[in-house]
Amino acid sequence: MCRVVDLQQAVLAKNDACAHTLREDLAARGTAVVNLLSSPGSGKTALLERELTLARSRGVPVAALTADLATENDAVRLARSGVPVKQVLTDGLCHLEAEMLGGHLNGWLPADTRLLFIENVGNLVCPASYDLGETLRIVLASVTEGEDKPLKYPTAFGLAHLVVVTKTDIADAVSFDEVEFRANVEQINPGVEVVLTSARAGEGDGALLDRALAARDGAPVHIPVMTRKSHHVHDAGDDQPHDESHSHDEGHPHDAGRTHTHPHTHTHASRKQGSHSHTADPDTVASSRS
């Protein structure tokens, strides 16, 4: 067991180092990464499509990379926005990693991209432990998932810079208790903003885009208590520079308070070989389906 934990910590430490480098490299070219995490079926693809379409209408250069275990369905949907989209098929891997992401961006990401939206694999466990070099980490939950979602997945919600509630147009139908949900979020991640959205009704249109652009332009980003406890983040009174975006401590807190480990420990090399991607602009999607 100790060897498994030690190996997992080494993998996470390597990922953090890659994420730090990726964040610096993208920032130097003026690009900020927005990492979207949620359970399957939360509605994040529908919401992201609206935000990408809005960005294009405003003339904001954005791109999106979406990760799934199989199928290119999400990339096809996102490509309807008219922005550059790339599909990554992880072939069973339940999350993206910084090194993997950097490899897929190399030679693909347009030079003028201001925001890169990452639609992570639908999962609130594995992706929560992996920094992707993001400027903004957004965790989404639909009104159908229950008010106790933040309590069940404290690592995912506890490391969020922003929490988004989706499908609010059916909140009354499923008896969603917004007050209770907000209280549970506050318990796990005090001070984090909660935004209500509905891709169908248009509630919250532009909220993700506006907050992502603000973060990209240097506006203060919420620092979760869980991140503040990390030894990588200095106290507020420390005059040394520090990275206010997502970071881990060496133990990577698990939902049960133990060191987070996965039963599927792979090497980075095998992951890179096992995943592949497809560029999904509208023309490419059309030809690939014919």
Side-chain angles (χ1 to χ4, degrees), residues 52-107:
L52 296 176
T53 301
L54 181 59
R56 190 183 184 208
S57 71
R58 291 184 183 178
V60 180
V62 301
L65 182 146
T66 180
D68 277 304
L69 276 66
T71 83
E72 299 178 19
N73 295 348
D74 287 352
V76 171
R77 292 173 60 187
L78 295 180
R80 295 185 303 207
S81 66
V83 309
V85 174
K86 190 171 191 179
Q87 175 77 60
V88 173
L89 299 179
T90 65
D91 291 333
L93 188 62
C94 63
H95 61 277
L96 288 174
E97 299 177 8
E99 184 178 25
M100 180 193 304
L101 175 61
H104 288 300
L105 297 183
N106 188 30

Side-chain angles (χ1 to χ4, degrees), residues 14 17 44 59-60 82 84-85 90 102 110 146 149 152-153 187-188 195 210 215 239 244 249 266 281:
K14 180 179 179 181
K44 67 178 178 294
V60 180
V85 174
T90 65
K149 200 76 171 186
K152 289 183 175 181
Y153 299 93
Q187 178 180 334
I188 297 300
V195 175
D210 291 342
D239 59 2
E244 293 188 351
D249 58 25
H266 304 287
D281 58 56

Side-chain angles (χ1 to χ4, degrees), residues 3 5 25 29 33 38 112 147 162 198 215 232 240 266:
R3 291 181 180 178
V5 172
D25 290 346
R29 56 184 283 174
V33 174
S38 78
D112 65 342
E147 296 80 2
L162 178 70
S198 168
H232 291 295
Q240 297 182 25
H266 304 287

